[in-house]
C-alpha cells in the first residue's frame, strides 16, 4: 500500500515537471519570436577575424556586441553586418545574418551576444578564444555528420569540455541534408550544434551532399568561408588559412564530379597557394589539406573513386601534393576510419612517421550519417596502415605541438575510447622531392579522362601489370619471385628424371605405329 502511494506521488511530480517544462518552453518561444537562433562562428581571413552567423524568423538588422570580460560599458564593441532573406528555407528560419569581427587580439577570450533592432532580439551570451600564434594547438576533425546520429550530444559535450579546441573541421556531408524537408533538417542541425559551433570556429568544406540540388543553396547561405563572398559562390568553394603553425587548405573535391567546369580553376588556385605556402614554411611548416573525397581508401565498394587504379581525385592531386610537400590529407566520404603510411603513387615510402618523404592520408568519415558506419574492409594496398575495426562512430583530435611534432588521436564519439594514435615527426618540411618541379598534366583534365578510358581491366590479366596489381605491393612481387625460384630449383634437382620423362614420351610416340 505504502509503495503504491509512493509510486503515485513520484508519477504526479514527474508529470507536473514535464508540464511546466513544456509551458516554459512555449512561453519563451512566444515571448522571443525574433530571438536569434542557430548561432555559429568561423574564422575570417585570419584568426584575428571571426565571422558570426545566425538565423531569425523575421527581418532584422545584424549586430554583434562583444567584450573581453571586464564589464565596463566602454569595453563593449559592436559590429554590424548583413541580413539575407533566404526563401528556399521555407520550413525554417528565413532571415540569415552574418557579421565579421575584425582585429581581434590573439589568445584572448571574447564574450558576445548577437542582436537585431528590436527589444526581443538579443541572443544568449557565448564566448570564444582566439588562437595564439605559438604553443600547442588542438583541432577536432570529422566528416559526414548529421542530425540522425546519437553521438551528436556527446561530440558537443566533448567540444566544449576539458580539451580546448582551436577549431572544428567538418569535412563535408553536413546534416544529411541541409536542405531536406525544405530546410527543417538544416535548422535542426544548426540548433543542435549551436552549443559548440557558437564557441569554436566551425570550419567546413562541401561534400557530395552539399552539391545536391536542394541543399546547394543552403550550404552557400548558411555558412561562410574565410575571405570569400557571402553567400558563397559555386566557383569559389575553397580557401586556405594559417592557424598557429599550420597552413590549412580546404578544397572541394566535388569539382571533379558534379562541377567539372571548375577543375582548371581549383587546380590553378592550388598550385598558386601551395607555391606561396612553401615560401612561408619557416613560419607555417605544416601544410594540411582538408578534402571530402579521399585519394586512398580501402573499401569493398568498387564504385568508389578512391578504390580505382586511376582515381580521378588522386590523378589530379597526388603529384601536386607530393611536389609541394603536403604533410597530411584528411577526408571523409567513406564512413570509416583509415590511416595510411607515407605514400606516393601506391608506393609506401616508409613504414613509420619519422620525417616522412610523402603525404600521409587519413579518412575519418564515421562520425554519424544516415547510412551505416562501415567496418574495415581488407587493406586496399600495402599503404594501408590502420583500418577501424569496429562500426563505432569516431572523431579525430589533431594536436599540433610545434614545428616538428604532431600527435593524432581517434576516439569513439560516445565513449571517448582511444582507437588509434600516432606521433608524426617532421624535421625537414618542404617539397618531398627537391629535384623535381611540379608540371601540371599537359593534357589537363581531358588527358586524365582519356587515360582512364584506356584503362581496361581485362587487359591486365595478360599484361605484366597483373603482377603489379596493387601498384608496388611487395607481397605480390615476392609471391611471383618465390614461385619462380621454386620451379627453377625443382628443375635443377630433378633434371635427370625430367629429361627421362620427356625422352620416354618421344620414344613412345615414335614406337606407336610399330
Ligand atoms: C529588411 O529590412 C531592411 C530595413 O530594415 C530593408 O531594407 C530590407 O529590404 C528588408 N528585407 C526584406 C527581405 O524585407
Ligand atoms: C616539440 O614537441 C614535442 C612533443 O611535445 C617535444 O618532445 C619536442 O621537444 C618539441 N620540440 C621543440 C623544438 O620544442
Ligand atoms: C625525384 O625526382 C627525380 C627527378 O625527377 C627522380 O629521378 C627521382 O626518382 C625522384 N625520387 C622520388 C623518390 O620520387
Amino acid at each position: 500500500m505504502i509503495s503504491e502511494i509512493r509510486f503515485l506521488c513520484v508519477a504526479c511530480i514527474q508529470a507536473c515537471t514535464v508540464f511546466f517544462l513544456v509551458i516554459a518552453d512555449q512561453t519563451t518561444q512566444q515571448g522571443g519570436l525574433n530571438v536569434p537562433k542557430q548561432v555559429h562562428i568561423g574564422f575570417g581571413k585570419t584568426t584575428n577575424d571571426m565571422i558570426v552567423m545566425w538565423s531569425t524568423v523575421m527581418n532584422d538588422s545584424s549586430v554583434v556586441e562583444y567584450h573581453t570580460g571586464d564589464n565596463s560599458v566602454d569595453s563593449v564593441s559592436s559590429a554590424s553586418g548583413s541580413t539575407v532573406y533566404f526563401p528556399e528555407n521555407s520550413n525554417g528560419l528565413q532571415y540569415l545574418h552574418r557579421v565579421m569581427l575584425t582585429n581581434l587580439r590573439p589568445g584572448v577570450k571574447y564574450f558576445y551576444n548577437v542582436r537585431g533592432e528590436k527589444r526581443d532580439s538579443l541572443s544568449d551570451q557565448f564566448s570564444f578564444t582566439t588562437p595564439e600564434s605559438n604553443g600547442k594547438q588542438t583541432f577536432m576533425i570529422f566528416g559526414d555528420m548529421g542530425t540522425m546520429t546519437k553521438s551528436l550530444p556527446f561530440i558537443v559535450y566533448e567540444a566544449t569540455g576539458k580539451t580546448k579546441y582551436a577549431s572544428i573541421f567538418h569535412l563535408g556531408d553536413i546534416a544529411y541534408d541541409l536542405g531536406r524537408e525544405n530546410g527543417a533538417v538544416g535548422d535542426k542541425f544548426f540548433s543542435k550544434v549551436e552549443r559548440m559551433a557558437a564557441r569554436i570556429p566551425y570550419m567546413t568544406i562541401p561534400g557530395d551532399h552539399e552539391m545536391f540540388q536542394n541543399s546547394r543553396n543552403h550550404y552557400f547561405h548558411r555558412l561562410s568561408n574565410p575571405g570569400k563572398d557571402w553567400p558563397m559562390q559555386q566557383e569559389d568553394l575553397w580557401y586556405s588559412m594559417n592557424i598557429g603553425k599550420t597552413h590549412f587548405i580546404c578544397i572541394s573535391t566535388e569539382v571533379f564530379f558534379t562541377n567539372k567546369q571548375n577543375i582548371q580553376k581549383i587546380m590553378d588556385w592550388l598550385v598558386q597557394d601551395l607555391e606561396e605556402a612553401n615560401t612561408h614554411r619557416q613560419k607555417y611548416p605544416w601544410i594540411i589539406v582538408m578534402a571530402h573525397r579521399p585519394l586512398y581508401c580501402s573499401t569493398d565498394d568498387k564504385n568508389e573513386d578512391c578504390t580505382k587504379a586511376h582515381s580521378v581525385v588522386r590523378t589530379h592531386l597526388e603529384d601536386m601534393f607530393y611536389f609541394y610537400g603536403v604533410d597530411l590529407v584528411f577526408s571523409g566520404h567513406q564512413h570509416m576510419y583509415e590511416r595510411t603510411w607515407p605514400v606516393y603513387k601506391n608506393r609506401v615510402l616508409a613504414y613509420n612517421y619519422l620525417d616522412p618523404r610523402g603525404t600521409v592520408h587519413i579518412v575519418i568519415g564515421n562520425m554519424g550519417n544516415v547510412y551505416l558506419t562501415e567496418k574495415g574492409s581488407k587493406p586496399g594496398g600495402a599503404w594501408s596502415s590502420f583500418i577501424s575495426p569496429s562500426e563505432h562512430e569516431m572523431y579525430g583530435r589533431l594536436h599540433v605541438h610545434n614545428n616538428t611534432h604532431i600527435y593524432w588521436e581517434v576516439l569513439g564519439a560516445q565513449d571517448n575510447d582511444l582507437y588509434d594514435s600516432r606521433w608524426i615527426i617532421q624535421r625537414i618540411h618542404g617539397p618531398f622531392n627537391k629535384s623535381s618541379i611540379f608540371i601540371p598534366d599537359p593534357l589537363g583534365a581531358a588527358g586524365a579522362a582519356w587515360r582512364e578510358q584506356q584503362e581496361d581491366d581485362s587487359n591486365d590479366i595478360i599484361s605484366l601489370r597483373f603482377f603489379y596489381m596493387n601498384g608496388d605491393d611487395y607481397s605480390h612481387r615476392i609471391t611471383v619471385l618465390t614461385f619462380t625460384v621454386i620451379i627453377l630449383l625443382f628443375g635443377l634437382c630433378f633434371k635427370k628424371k625430367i629429361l627421362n620423362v620427356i625422352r620416354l614420351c618421344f620414344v613412345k610416340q615414335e614406337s606407336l605405329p610399330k
Side-chain angles (χ1 to χ4, degrees), residues 401-402 404-405 423:
H401 277 253
N402 50 35
T404 52
H405 285 63
W423 279 100

Side-chain angles (χ1 to χ4, degrees), residues 9 18 22 64 108 137 152 186 191 243 281 297 305 319 329 368 378 381 389 409 411 421-422 438 447:
C9 285
V18 170
V22 169
V64 175
V108 172
Q137 260 156 13
L152 214 155
S191 302
I243 309 177
R281 277 201 115 143
C297 72
D305 179 66
D319 280 343
V329 176
K378 69 181 198 314
E409 297 176 287
L411 300 112
S421 67
R422 271 311 137 126
F438 174 67

